[in-house]
Amino acid sequence: AAAAAAAAAALLFTLDDVCLADAAAPAATPPHSLAVLLAACGLWRPLAAYLRLLRSTSPLHAHLLAHAELHAGRYGRAAAAFRLAITRATASSTFSLADLNLAARVPALPREMPLQGPDEEAEWCLYEYAAAAWGAFSSLGQAEHVLPFADTAVGLHTLSLRAPRACSSAHLVLFTHALGLSHLRQAHNALRMLDAHASEHSPLGLSLPANDGPEGLDRAAAVAARARLYGECRADCLNTLVSVLHERRQMAKLARLPFEGQLRMHLVDTLRRHAPNSDVMHTAQGATVYEVLYALQVRYGDFAGAARSMYDLSRRLANHCAHPDSPAPAWRDLGLSGRPGVPASAPAATSAEAAAQAAVDQVARLLVRQAGGLAARAAA
């Protein structure tokens, strides 16, 4: 009798899966199927084998298969299964993204503003599912599979319009993981989108009010708060970008990326803040912050700023060379002689100030040539 009851229960659970596979199951409540039972028990290998035999087109079955592949360490297949679940739920007339999130027990994320209309509800459900997917990959250190789902989230109009905090967080996830994988172009694109959101006149967000009444003032306050939120996230990303590239000795790559408008000004400010704590001597491993700052300023016609950068560098070099405990003059390692017409072995009576000034002059000329070449290569 017990065996018969167990067989009947298994048959009922399997019939639920068949109904899901045929898109005939009701979507009002989470289904009680054998696949869901196997997933709840953590029996991932039997679940994967069962779903392959079932050959289902259900979004829920695709989601469960994604988790089975995830636990098996087949991360590429898991990412493809997550995307398949989204595609099937979007195209289905009987099992929507909201139904998928309910059945898959995807965590509901807090809403910052009321959503308006079914389209915004659907996009919010897509954001919740994408966030759950990238969270699963991020917890396993699979950054390359985080990027497609974060990229999907940042492209949702509902997210940028109704949830600025969630939108800025999604951009930060995309930027951080792209930079960690050295996908500099993708990280730069996320930074540019953040800059567009930070603008009060951005077409991606709210526009400034046309009247000065209470409603207009509230709208202006919302615009300012939105711009401040995105601006803070943009500043964090710029600081991270400069710090990481400086640590990797890849500062020259900044000169190959397009920075326009306010984003360029914020980048220059970030480089200026970073420069006092950075290396001053050019090495074979990469350009210095001062070189890149100078190259960018020359490239965009800010010659006064370029002169200021050279002045700041000369003061640091003079301070470095004037100290008696400083290491051997680095300009000799670069193959430089003394002043024009003066041999490298200067008289012993030369003062520390004169030696420091000679170093500043020579290294500054070398830096100008190198930075000019860097700007020319970046422009080409």
Side-chain angles (χ1 to χ4, degrees), residues 215-340:
E215 182 180 351
L217 293 177
D218 289 344
R219 191 173 181 83
V223 170
R226 179 188 297 267
R228 183 169 57 253
L229 176 65
Y230 286 118
E232 291 172 355
C233 189
R234 175 187 59 197
D236 291 341
C237 290
L238 280 172
N239 285 325
T240 302
L241 178 65
V242 172
S243 298
V244 169
L245 291 183
H246 180 259
E247 183 180 353
R248 294 176 181 173
R249 303 282 186 177
Q250 297 176 349
M251 288 297 298
K253 291 186 176 182
L254 276 178
R256 304 190 188 104
L257 298 173
F259 291 91
E260 304 296 338
Q262 294 293 321
L263 184 58
R264 182 201 313 164
M265 296 174 56
H266 289 293
L267 173 63
V268 170
D269 290 342
T270 303
L271 289 170
R272 282 198 180 281
R273 289 193 301 270
H274 190 84
N277 299 316
S278 66
D279 300 329
V280 295
M281 302 305 298
H282 177 86
T283 63
Q285 286 74 28
T288 67
V289 176
Y290 286 101
E291 287 180 296
V292 174
L293 180 59
Y294 174 83
L296 289 172
Q297 289 168 323
V298 170
R299 176 181 181 180
Y300 293 111
D302 182 13
F303 301 110
R308 178 185 171 187
S309 299
M310 289 295 98
Y311 174 73
D312 292 341
L313 175 60
S314 68
R315 293 191 63 179
R316 283 200 61 192
L317 288 170
N319 181 67
H320 174 77
C321 296
H323 287 82
D325 295 332
S326 62
W331 62 90
R332 294 180 182 174
D333 298 335
L334 297 176
L336 296 176
S337 62
R339 290 177 179 269

Side-chain angles (χ1 to χ4, degrees), residues 112 127 134 154 163-175 194 230 233:
E112 301 170 34
Y127 163 64
W134 86 53
V154 299
R165 289 185 179 83
C167 188
S168 61
S169 297
H171 280 85
L172 186 59
V173 168
L174 179 61
F175 171 84
L194 273 174
Y230 286 118
C233 189

Side-chain angles (χ1 to χ4, degrees), residues 181-201:
L181 292 170
S182 298
H183 295 174
L184 200 55
R185 289 287 178 182
Q186 196 166 8
H188 175 257
N189 287 336
L191 192 54
R192 292 178 66 183
M193 287 188 286
L194 273 174
D195 182 65
H197 284 299
S199 172
E200 292 186 355
H201 300 279

